[in-house]
């Protein structure tokens, strides 16, 4: 702690730390990022110690800046505890702790391990306490960890389905049993009014979904929403990419309202065209349309749906993308998803360890590759996770998703459409806003106290329902995550913390 201007200060207890390198520490408060180096780290070391330090005038400017940014607060004693998402484990005779929020693994000495295991954080010496704190392994006891991390109250993601018609025949499609009717005009009007009211108090990402949203028959529907010009609304398209050229003039007219396009490529041409079936093939058509978008500075997420049939071709796909789009890497990224046939118990989803091993074989490319799986995303892109605040209230921010079907039914899950148990309201209901905003607090007794809950969040509710009969009966994959952690340790991918 530091005595300054007659008062005693220490850290604000809502700060999140990230130690990027030996001489650089990042602090984050309310999504603002601050870099500490040199003298600031020495000052930080004093702030985190319960001993009171008197500092010289040379730190006056820094202290004023810390006060201005609310990074320090007045306090006379600071007590630390283990973070809820820190996981202690023994493996092959050694002691480790895993920061599950950032995907970092640390080897501990036996004495530090036993102190943390027994909840005696206050007995740590000042150097160990500092090293554990800047790695976000321990935290002030006043902090409410999960609530602070997951604050995302006013962002809503609204999916619009005008029709379930599609011009592709994908091998893993989960919408074969859906109606192909187009949304009636009265429901479209109710949807527009609902979006207007929702946007008064929320920032909305309005997602055009399907079926395939960019079919010719959906043109007027999409235009009616784009021309609303609502201040708190941005637009996103989840599309197979085949209709981009036909819609390009309309998209260009509203380009500054469009945040991104999600377009799927399931492998190089020979693999993609077998999985996402369209006439004589769609790969080249999609690549040309993606190129049209990025040339005009639209942002594109190239989604890859991975299973055991195409994962071996991931590097070949990356090579093709590198060759065709390398001049536009600022405007696209590759996003890897695991195919999950939630209603097919015989389908074998890729294990996390197999996906990780495939990723480790990839060479460096000029474009960014991210992973939709929360656990592997932390393992592979831990600093990106830290900066982007990639923490969710549920497995998929379930209660912040609003899916409006073509018949006016509303869901929280875009895969559960047509499943009556997942209908939460209809636009015609007089109390539709209350029904949608009603958040059911999960009581997952099986998960109480599990640090992996910071990642899994009770897993996919639709998967829980289809496999276990209830959204709250969790399909746990803790053992899969532990398998990855042990693999990383075996390969030396951890940091040693010495006394």
């Amino acid at each position: 702690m530091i005595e300054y201007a007659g008062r005693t200060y220490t850290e604000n207890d809502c700060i999140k730390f990230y130690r990027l390198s030996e001489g650089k520490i990042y602090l984050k408060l309310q999504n603002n990022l601050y870099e500490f180096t040199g003298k600031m780290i020495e000052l930080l070391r004093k702030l985190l110690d319960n001993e009171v330090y008197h500092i010289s005038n040379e730190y006056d400017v820094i202290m004023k800046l810390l006060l201005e940014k609310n990074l320090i607060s007045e306090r006379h004693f600071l007590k630390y505890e283990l973070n809820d998402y820190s996981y202690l484990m023994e493996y092959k005779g050694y002691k480790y702790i895993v920061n599950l929020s950032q995907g970092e693994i640390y080897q501990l000495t036996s004495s530090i391990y036993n102190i943390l295991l027994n909840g005696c954080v206050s007995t740590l010496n000042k150097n160990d306490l500092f090293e554990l704190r800047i790695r976000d392994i321990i935290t002030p006891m006043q902090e409410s960890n999960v609530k602070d991390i997951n604050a995302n109250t006013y962002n809503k993601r609204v999916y619009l389905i005008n029709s379930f018609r599609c011009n592709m025949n994908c091998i893993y499609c989960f919408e074969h049993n859906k109606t192909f009717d187009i949304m009636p005009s009265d429901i479209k009007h109710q949807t527009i009014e609902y979006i207007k009211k929702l946007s008064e108090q929320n920032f909305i990402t309005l997602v055009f979904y399907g079926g395939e949203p960019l079919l010719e028959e959906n043109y007027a529907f999409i235009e009616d929403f784009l021309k609303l010009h609502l201040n708190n609304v941005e637009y996103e398209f989840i599309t197979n990419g085949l209709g981009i050229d036909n819609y390009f003039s309309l998209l260009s007219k509203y380009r500054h309202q469009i945040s991104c396009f999600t377009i799927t490529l399931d492998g190089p041409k020979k693999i993609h065209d077998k999985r996402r079936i369209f006439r004589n093939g769609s790969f080249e058509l999609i690549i040309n349309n993606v190129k049209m978008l990025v040339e005009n500075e639209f942002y594109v997420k190239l989604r890859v749906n991975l299973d055991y049939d195409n994962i071996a071709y991931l590097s070949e796909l990356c090579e093709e993308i590198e060759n065709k789009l390398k001049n536009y890497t600022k405007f696209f990224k590759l996003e890897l998803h695991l195919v999950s046939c939630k209603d097919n118990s015989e389908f074998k989803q890729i294990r996390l360890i197999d996906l990780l091993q495939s990723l480790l074989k990839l060479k460096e490319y000029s474009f960014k590759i991210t992973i939709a799986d929360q656990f592997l995303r932390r393992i592979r892109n831990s600093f990106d996770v830290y900066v982007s605040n990639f923490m969710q209230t549920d497995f998929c921010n379930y209660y912040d998703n609003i899916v409006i079907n073509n018949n006016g039914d509303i869901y929280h899950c875009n895969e559960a459409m047509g499943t009556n148990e997942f209908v939460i309201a209809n636009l015609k209901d007089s109390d539709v806003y209350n029904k949608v905003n009603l958040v059911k607090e999960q009581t997952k007794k099986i998960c109480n106290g599990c640090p992996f809950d910071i990642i899994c969040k009770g897993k996919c509710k639709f998967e829980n329902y289809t496999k276990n009969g209830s959204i709250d009966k969790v399909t746990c994959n803790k053992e899969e995550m532990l398998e990855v952690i042990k693999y990383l340790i075996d390969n030396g991918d951890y940091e040693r913390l010495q006394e």
Side-chain angles (χ1 to χ4, degrees), residues 265-379:
L265 288 173
D266 267 2
K269 177 178 172 57
K270 62 185 179 183
I271 300 301
H272 170 90
D273 287 345
K274 291 179 181 178
R275 294 167 61 85
R276 299 180 65 80
I277 300 166
F278 175 76
R279 297 177 186 170
N280 295 323
S282 62
F283 185 86
E284 294 297 340
L285 291 171
I286 294 170
I287 284 289
N288 290 336
N289 281 340
V290 169
K291 192 171 184 180
M292 183 191 306
L293 288 172
V294 295
E295 281 178 341
N296 289 275
E297 300 186 356
F298 287 98
Y299 193 77
V300 178
K301 296 178 186 176
L302 290 174
R303 173 173 174 145
V304 187
N305 295 316
L306 291 170
D307 56 32
Y308 281 114
D309 291 331
N310 70 336
I311 190 169
Y313 299 92
L314 181 57
S315 60
E316 192 175 335
L317 172 63
C318 290
E319 292 293 337
E320 289 207 35
I321 293 172
E322 181 87 354
N323 292 334
K324 296 176 184 294
L325 300 173
K326 62 183 177 183
N327 295 327
Y328 309 101
T329 56
K330 181 180 178 182
F331 299 106
F332 78 91
K333 69 175 180 179
L334 200 67
E335 191 170 85
L336 308 179
H337 290 251
L338 299 181
V339 175
S340 175
C341 293
K342 299 181 173 79
D343 56 353
N344 182 357
S345 59
E346 296 182 1
F347 176 79
K348 189 176 180 182
Q349 183 174 307
I350 293 178
R351 291 183 62 81
L352 295 180
I353 188 66
D354 294 331
L355 176 56
L356 176 63
Q357 290 172 348
S358 295
L359 294 174
L360 294 174
K361 294 175 184 176
L362 294 179
K363 71 176 192 180
E364 291 291 327
Y365 294 98
S366 60
F367 54 90
K368 186 174 182 179
I369 300 175
T370 61
I371 311 161
D373 179 82
Q374 288 206 39
F375 178 63
L376 287 186
R377 185 170 177 181
R378 287 167 170 78
I379 293 294

Side-chain angles (χ1 to χ4, degrees), residues 43 55 68 107 124 367:
L43 189 66
I55 57 174
E68 178 187 332
Q107 187 183 99
L124 288 165
F367 54 90

Side-chain angles (χ1 to χ4, degrees), residues 37-211:
T37 57
K39 283 186 176 181
M40 295 186 76
I41 292 180
E42 289 305 310
L43 189 66
L44 182 62
R45 187 178 289 275
K46 293 179 172 64
L47 281 166
L48 300 185
D49 191 352
N50 270 319
E51 183 178 337
V52 178
Y53 292 86
H54 302 274
I55 57 174
S56 60
N57 293 335
E58 65 179 313
Y59 290 104
D60 191 59
V61 173
I62 298 177
M63 287 296 293
K64 288 180 179 178
L65 178 64
L66 296 178
L67 283 167
E68 178 187 332
K69 300 298 182 181
N70 199 31
L71 293 172
I72 58 176
S73 57
E74 189 175 357
R75 192 178 299 135
H76 294 93
F77 185 75
L78 193 59
K79 190 173 183 181
Y80 290 97
E81 64 182 348
L82 196 64
N83 251 327
D84 289 343
Y85 41 78
S86 293
Y87 179 71
L88 287 161
M89 62 180 288
E90 294 189 51
Y91 181 58
K92 293 184 177 180
Y94 293 94
K95 313 287 197 301
Y96 299 92
I97 191 164
V98 186
N99 181 333
L100 290 165
S101 74
Q102 296 178 9
E104 301 289 349
I105 306 171
Y106 304 98
Q107 187 183 99
L108 303 177
T109 63
S110 293
S111 60
I112 295 177
Y113 179 88
N114 290 329
I115 286 172
L116 297 179
L117 184 65
N118 294 315
C120 303
V121 176
S122 60
T123 64
L124 288 165
N125 65 51
K126 63 180 63 179
N127 182 67
D128 291 339
L129 187 145
F130 177 76
E131 295 297 328
L132 292 172
R133 180 62 185 122
I134 63 174
R135 290 165 175 82
D136 205 34
I137 292 171
I138 60 174
T139 187
M141 289 189 73
Q142 294 91 333
E143 184 178 25
S144 179
N145 303 324
V146 176
K147 183 178 180 180
D148 178 67
I149 289 172
N150 292 326
N152 186 33
T153 309
Y154 302 108
N155 293 336
K156 302 293 182 184
R157 189 170 173 84
V158 181
Y159 294 78
L160 296 182
I161 296 95
N162 186 44
S163 167
F164 288 100
R165 286 195 181 100
C166 185
N167 51 357
M168 272 190 170
N169 184 23
C170 300
I171 62 172
Y172 45 73
C173 181
F174 57 85
E175 294 184 348
H176 288 302
N177 61 339
K178 306 296 190 295
T179 173
F180 288 163
D181 295 339
I182 290 177
M183 181 181 286
S185 58
D186 61 326
I187 294 179
K188 182 176 74 172
H189 177 72
Q190 291 170 342
T191 302
I192 289 173
E193 294 305 309
Y194 178 81
I195 297 297
K196 285 180 178 178
K197 184 170 181 178
L198 192 67
S199 69
E200 292 174 1
Q201 297 182 344
N202 301 274
F203 181 82
I204 297 173
T205 299
L206 198 61
V207 184
F208 293 105
Y209 194 64

Side-chain angles (χ1 to χ4, degrees), residues 28 36 41 71 86 88 102 142 163 168 192 199 203 220 228 238 249 256 305 359 384 400 403 429 448 467 476 495:
K28 188 167 69 173
F36 274 46
I41 292 180
L71 293 172
S86 293
L88 287 161
Q102 296 178 9
Q142 294 91 333
S163 167
M168 272 190 170
I192 289 173
S199 69
F203 181 82
L228 291 176
I238 297 179
S249 60
H256 298 297
N305 295 316
L359 294 174
D384 288 346
D400 288 322
V403 184
D429 296 340
N448 282 353
K467 291 184 177 179
C476 181
E495 180 185 352

Side-chain angles (χ1 to χ4, degrees), residues 381-492:
N381 307 106
S382 61
F383 189 64
D384 288 346
V385 168
Y386 175 76
V387 172
S388 65
N389 204 32
F390 187 72
M391 296 284 186
Q392 303 184 148
T393 51
D394 294 282
F395 179 71
C396 61
N397 282 337
Y398 179 83
Y399 292 107
D400 288 322
N401 290 334
I402 298 170
V403 184
I404 302 178
N405 205 342
N406 56 351
N407 64 359
D409 283 342
I410 300 177
Y411 303 77
H412 283 310
C413 174
N414 61 304
E415 291 189 33
M417 294 173 296
T419 305
N420 292 333
E421 290 80 358
F422 280 78
V423 177
I424 55 173
N426 188 282
L427 288 169
K428 296 179 181 179
D429 296 340
S430 59
D431 57 347
V432 59
Y433 296 99
N434 291 332
K435 286 183 176 180
V436 172
N437 291 329
L438 181 64
V439 176
K440 177 186 174 185
E441 293 295 333
Q442 279 187 288
T443 54
K444 306 188 300 294
K445 292 182 179 180
I446 192 173
C447 295
N448 282 353
C450 176
F452 287 88
D453 186 51
I454 196 72
I455 295 171
C456 86
K457 290 295 167 192
K459 293 295 291 179
C460 169
K461 290 176 171 53
F462 189 54
E463 182 177 4
N464 291 342
Y465 172 79
T466 56
K467 291 184 177 179
N468 303 322
S470 169
I471 66 172
D472 294 330
K473 289 185 179 179
V474 178
T475 307
C476 181
N477 70 334
K478 176 181 175 180
E479 292 305 315
E480 272 198 69
M481 290 185 275
L482 283 173
E483 185 179 18
V484 169
I485 291 169
K486 291 173 183 178
Y487 174 85
L488 292 171
I489 291 173
D490 286 339
N491 286 273

